[in-house]
Amino acid sequence: TTRSWEYIKVSLSETGKVGIVQLNRPKALNALCSGLFHELNDAIRTLDNDPAVGAVVLTGLPKAFAAGADIKEMANTHFVDNYKSNFLGHWTEITQARKPVIAAVQGFALGGGCELAMMCDLIYAGDNAKFGQPEIKLGTIPGAGGSQRLVKAVGKSKAMELVLSGNMWSAEEAERAGLVARVFPADTVVAEAVKLGEQIASYSQVATQMCKEAVNKSFELSLAEGLHFERRLFQATFATKDQKEGMKAFAEKRAAQWTNQ
Ligand code: CO8
């Protein structure tokens, strides 16, 4: 977190338990250029590997979480080059983080910006947030989950409307659709996300990581296989010291002392 960054800012909450990554490219409303994504991936990887950190908050600027992929950077690229270089393939690296990642969205979350928010584990929105997949207006289509994660988040009809119209949803509409977990006054959304991060970080990291892993498996597996996976992980928690401590502390009416073991 101490190195210098060009396109992002990285910090820790006061307790040191929540990593905060702020996209910071104000000149272009946080358009996601290649350099920004490399820095973002480095920061998330570093925080994910930091034993003191229990959760991460990803946020942007008051006017824009991110206004999409950098249109100027990609405008003149061609299929064969994009294909050979696996253009933007590294975008999904954030989904490999084991620790919970909370998106705190203010202002525009458009195109790749909306897709980046959806790659996080949950979204908190400021009441000024705007979500959309405007790629259709540029003669292209969503390329980083807008036709897949969005459907899983809000269902077919609402997803179709968003990607085919290129219109934007307000924070309230996004919450009603289930894209967003909760809406807050814009100037408090980062603090609220950090507060949730602190709560998550106050639990056993083994348990929070297993929770995240199990929920994410529900997108990949059939119900029977998913339930099987969940039960196995649940059973596995009984091999941890933290499960023993958590249940002992309950019986003794005291706070649990987690060791992440
Ligand atoms: N890319 C590059 N520059 C951008 C972008 C962007 N996505 N968005 C805004 N900017 C720049 C503007 O060009 C402008 O720069 P300059 O001052 O040099 O002209 C600056 O940011 C400020 O923007 P505006 O003046 O336009 O600000 P407004 O408040 O008037 O408008 C909007 C804000 C409505 C957000 C407007 O900027 C806009 O429509 N932006 C583009 C939104 C968009 O179409 N996003 C989708 C991009 S495509 C995409 O994300 C595909 C992802 C595919 C991923 C594939 C992975 C494999």
Side-chain angles (χ1 to χ4, degrees):
T1 55
T2 49
R3 75 172 248 205
S4 68
W5 308 89
E6 188 176 353
Y7 300 111
I8 65 174
K9 286 182 183 172
V10 183
S11 59
L12 293 172
S13 65
E14 272 172 35
T15 62
K17 291 182 179 176
V18 180
I20 304 165
V21 181
Q22 182 187 23
L23 308 178
N24 182 38
R25 197 186 171 207
K27 271 190 296 198
L29 297 180
N30 282 347
L32 303 162
C33 61
S34 175
L36 184 151
F37 243 98
H38 283 294
E39 289 192 358
L40 173 61
N41 286 341
D42 285 352
I44 296 285
R45 203 182 309 118
T46 303
L47 293 168
D48 201 33
N49 289 329
D50 183 339
V53 169
V56 176
V57 169
L58 175 62
T59 191
L61 296 163
K63 194 179 169 195
F65 177 75
D70 191 320
I71 299 171
K72 294 164 191 170
E73 192 180 78
M74 69 185 156
N76 294 315
T77 63
H78 288 282
F79 170 72
V80 172
D81 293 333
N82 289 346
Y83 182 76
K84 286 201 294 190
S85 66
N86 191 20
F87 179 54
L88 303 185
H90 62 292
W91 271 36
T92 56
E93 196 180 318
I94 189 169
T95 64
Q96 304 303 313
R98 287 153 299 139
K99 293 175 184 166
V101 182
I102 304 161
V105 174
Q106 300 177 76
F108 298 109
L110 301 178
C114 186
E115 292 169 315
L116 175 60
M118 290 192 289
M119 286 180 216
C120 299
D121 295 308
L122 68 107
I123 304 175
Y124 272 6
D127 55 13
N128 68 342
K130 294 267 183 207
F131 296 87
Q133 297 290 158
E135 288 88 344
I136 198 75
K137 296 183 173 176
L138 300 169
T140 182
I141 75 165
S147 72
Q148 304 296 308
R149 287 194 184 91
L150 183 64
V151 183
K152 296 200 153 87
V154 305
K156 173 178 156 180
S157 192
K158 282 181 181 294
M160 280 288 189
E161 189 208 34
L162 206 68
V163 301
L164 289 174
S165 70
N167 292 342
M168 293 183 214
W169 280 344
S170 66
E172 197 188 312
E173 286 172 291
E175 186 190 25
R176 212 180 312 130
L179 179 63
V180 157
R182 225 171 266 278
V183 180
F184 300 95
D187 58 351
T188 67
V189 65
V190 177
E192 292 288 349
V194 171
K195 198 168 129 196
L196 177 68
E198 292 286 3
Q199 187 178 357
I200 293 168
S202 77
Y203 301 127
S204 164
Q205 284 186 16
V206 188
T208 56
Q209 287 182 27
M210 282 190 183
C211 264
K212 168 172 170 163
E213 201 184 347
V215 172
N216 279 333
K217 275 284 187 233
S218 74
F219 291 105
E220 314 290 343
L221 301 179
S222 69
L223 180 61
E225 287 172 305
L227 290 169
H228 178 85
F229 184 84
E230 179 192 68
R231 194 175 321 114
R232 279 293 175 274
L233 273 190
F234 169 74
Q235 291 165 345
T237 62
F238 287 73
T240 68
K241 288 188 178 143
D242 282 342
Q243 174 272 331
K244 294 287 171 288
E245 165 63 9
M247 295 194 181
K248 192 160 177 272
F250 175 81
E252 293 171 2
K253 299 188 190 299
R254 61 171 175 84
Q257 301 294 315
W258 310 116
T259 54
N260 299 326
Q261 295 293 316

